[in-house]
Amino acid sequence: MVRRAEPESVKPLTHNALKACILQYLTLRGWLCWANNTGAYAIEDDRHQRRFVRFGKNGSGDIFALHDHQFYSIEVKVGRDRLRSEQEEWMEQVRAHGGVAVVARCLDDVRML
């Protein structure tokens, strides 16, 4: 009796890997898109004192895109990740201003745009 090899389990994409796939897909489709980074980092001033510099808007999407005169904000979520209240607020604001705001848990969520 010949034993079949068990199929290897498919590992889910990480947040960064899914974000990279979405960016590549949109770019190949001719969209203008970029990763929207937010956060903070420490700097040292002239007096050697450390302070934090924040950048980006809290809650804004992971990816911004423009296509056919339309603005898109894409929030990438994987696994059990859920939207934070700041992210929900951002998405509501984008929609209120005529933009499209979506949550992408897989590439198919973006293919539908």
Side-chain angles (χ1 to χ4, degrees):
M1 178 175 185
V2 176
R3 292 189 79 170
R4 293 185 184 175
E6 292 295 318
E8 291 185 34
S9 61
V10 176
K11 293 182 182 178
L13 290 175
T14 64
H15 181 272
N16 286 339
L18 179 56
K19 184 166 67 170
C21 286
I22 292 169
L23 286 166
Q24 185 176 26
Y25 173 79
L26 294 175
T27 299
L28 290 171
R29 304 275 303 177
W31 291 42
L32 173 62
C33 60
W34 62 97
N36 175 49
N37 297 315
T38 61
Y41 62 93
I43 65 167
E44 198 172 283
D45 64 17
D46 296 339
R47 291 175 278 170
H48 302 289
Q49 293 180 350
R50 284 180 51 158
R51 66 183 181 100
F52 279 94
V53 175
R54 299 195 178 280
F55 56 93
K57 171 99 171 90
N58 193 18
S60 59
D62 293 310
I63 297 172
F64 289 164
L66 294 170
H67 184 67
D68 288 338
H69 308 285
Q70 181 69 59
F71 174 78
Y72 294 83
S73 177
I74 302 167
E75 181 62 40
V76 178
K77 293 291 183 191
V78 295
R80 294 182 178 165
D81 288 349
R82 294 183 182 197
L83 287 176
R84 293 179 287 122
S85 60
E86 298 93 345
Q87 293 170 324
E88 290 175 352
E89 215 173 279
W90 170 263
M91 293 176 80
E92 287 173 16
Q93 289 177 2
V94 168
R95 291 174 183 139
H97 286 88
V100 176
V102 297
V103 176
R105 292 191 168 277
C106 63
L107 189 56
D108 285 340
D109 292 337
V110 175
R111 287 183 177 144
M112 297 174 150
L113 297 177

